[in-house]
């Protein structure tokens, strides 16, 4: 699995870096650690890029979860969400990992996360909690749509749930329930009607899993009455979860409509990490991958690639002179010790 991590060297980015390292170790994957210098260009931006290159290499050196992971630092200038999306397409990555506040995304993480999850060419993992181990409890809400089917497939494909207890949840609403008592329908008849709706929903969930080749997975099923947002946040609070996996729908119009109101609500509510699985992008063509000296796919010359703390390749054109970093991991960690994030 190829993972692209977006970092701005903040504590929330540190959560993303550590989580990506854990996932790469699970899947024997590779990592691109990317920082975008947001500026208009020119001499000042070139100096910022040089400084960011140094800080990115230092971050690789001081994060224990990356010490045995092939890792390529990547620094470019531009608009963060656009450059991250472009890099994900160019390097054909399987997953983007971005950090956000554990409180709320909408209020504290800025527009980058929102823009990214709306336009990314691959799933985006929003890391909101401190990463110390693989995910143990995963919640996958489904609405029986193709978006839910994609979310289930990607959760299995990306090995995020291999060691986790997974709960597949579907929220249903019994049509006309609120009006039945007004028509004089007895409570036990209303309850029977709701249970019939629950049974049909359970059958639909089994069909969804069977069609996706996932029926044999030992995943729990929860069929819960209520609105999707209330059911997801309520169940995540009652059954502590490390990760929520949710698919977005292919819609046109405003960005919020494309993202989907349920996904928007989940991201803006305090809770666990969220994996957002977008719909296929119409007309998206994968760019041809080039093999660099470090074995990395790309469309530009390689940045220094680091594995087991050692630089494997150098020299990348970023609008400034190529940079070189040498030495073993202990040297890098020593030099970067004073910058180690908390």
């Amino acid at each position: 699995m190829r993972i692209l991590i977006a970092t701005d060297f903040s504590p929330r980015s540190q959560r993303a870096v550590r989580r990506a390292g854990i996932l790469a170790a699970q899947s024997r994957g590779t990592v691109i650690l990317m920082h975008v210098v947001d500026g208009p260009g020119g001499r000042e931006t070139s100096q910022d890029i040089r400084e960011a290159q140094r800080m990115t290499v230092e971050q690789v050196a001081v994060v224990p979860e990356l010490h045995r992971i092939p890792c390529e630092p990547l620094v470019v200038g531009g608009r963060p969400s656009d450059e991250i999306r472009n890099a994900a397409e160019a390097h054909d990555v399987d997953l983007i990992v971005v950090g956000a506040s554990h409180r709320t995304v909408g209020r504290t993480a800025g527009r980058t996360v929102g823009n990214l999850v709306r336009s990314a060419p691959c799933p985006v993992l929003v890391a909101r909690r401190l990463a110390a181990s693989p995910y143990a409890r995963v919640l996958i809400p489904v609405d029986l749509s193709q978006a839910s089917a994609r979310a289930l497939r990607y959760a299995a494909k990306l090995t995020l749930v291999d060691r986790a207890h997974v709960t597949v949840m579907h929220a249903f609403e019994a049509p006309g329930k609120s009006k039945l008592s007004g028509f004089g329908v007895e409570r036990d008849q209303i309850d029977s009607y709701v249970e019939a709706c629950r049974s049909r929903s359970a059958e639909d969930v089994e069909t969804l899993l069977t069609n996706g080749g996932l029926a044999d997975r030992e995943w729990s099923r929860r069929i819960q009455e209520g609105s999707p947002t209330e059911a997801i946040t309520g169940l995540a609070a009652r059954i502590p979860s490390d990760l929520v996996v949710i698919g977005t729908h292919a819609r046109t119009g405003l960005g919020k409509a494309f993202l989907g109101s349920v996904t928007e609500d989940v991201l803006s509510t305090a809770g666990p990490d969220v994996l957002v699985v977008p719909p296929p992008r119409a007309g998206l063509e994968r760019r041809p991958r080039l093999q660099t000296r470090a074995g990395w796919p790309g469309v530009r010359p390689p940045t220094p690639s680091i594995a087991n703390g050692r630089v494997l390749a150098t020299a990348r054109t970023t609008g400034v002179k190529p940079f070189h970093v040498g030495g073993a991991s202990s040297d890098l960690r020593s030099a970067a010790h004073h910058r180690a994030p908390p």
Side-chain angles (χ1 to χ4, degrees), residues 3-8 12-13 16 32 34-36 79-90 93-100 105 109-127 246 248 255-256 258-259 263-264 267 274-279 281 284:
I3 303 174
L4 174 65
I5 317 168
T7 179
D8 60 6
R12 67 170 177 252
S13 290
I32 300 172
M34 181 177 187
H35 176 74
V36 180
R79 185 169 180 258
S81 57
D82 291 343
E83 294 302 326
I84 294 168
R85 181 183 65 247
N86 292 340
E89 294 177 1
V93 302
D94 301 298
L95 179 68
I96 298 171
V97 183
V98 59
V105 168
R111 290 174 293 182
T112 298
V113 173
N115 291 338
L116 189 58
V117 298
R118 288 183 177 93
S119 61
C122 63
V124 177
L125 176 61
V126 182
I246 190 165
T248 59
K256 184 174 181 179
F258 176 81
L259 180 59
T263 306
E264 185 89 1
L267 283 171
V274 180
L275 175 67
V276 181
V277 180
R281 292 178 59 190
L284 177 63

Side-chain angles (χ1 to χ4, degrees), residues 10 17 28 42-43 70 103 107 123 130 148 188 197 208 231 252 294 301:
S10 66
V17 174
R28 298 182 180 179
R43 181 179 180 83
R103 293 184 294 275
R107 294 177 184 174
L130 181 65
S148 293
D188 59 344
C197 293
L208 182 70
T252 58

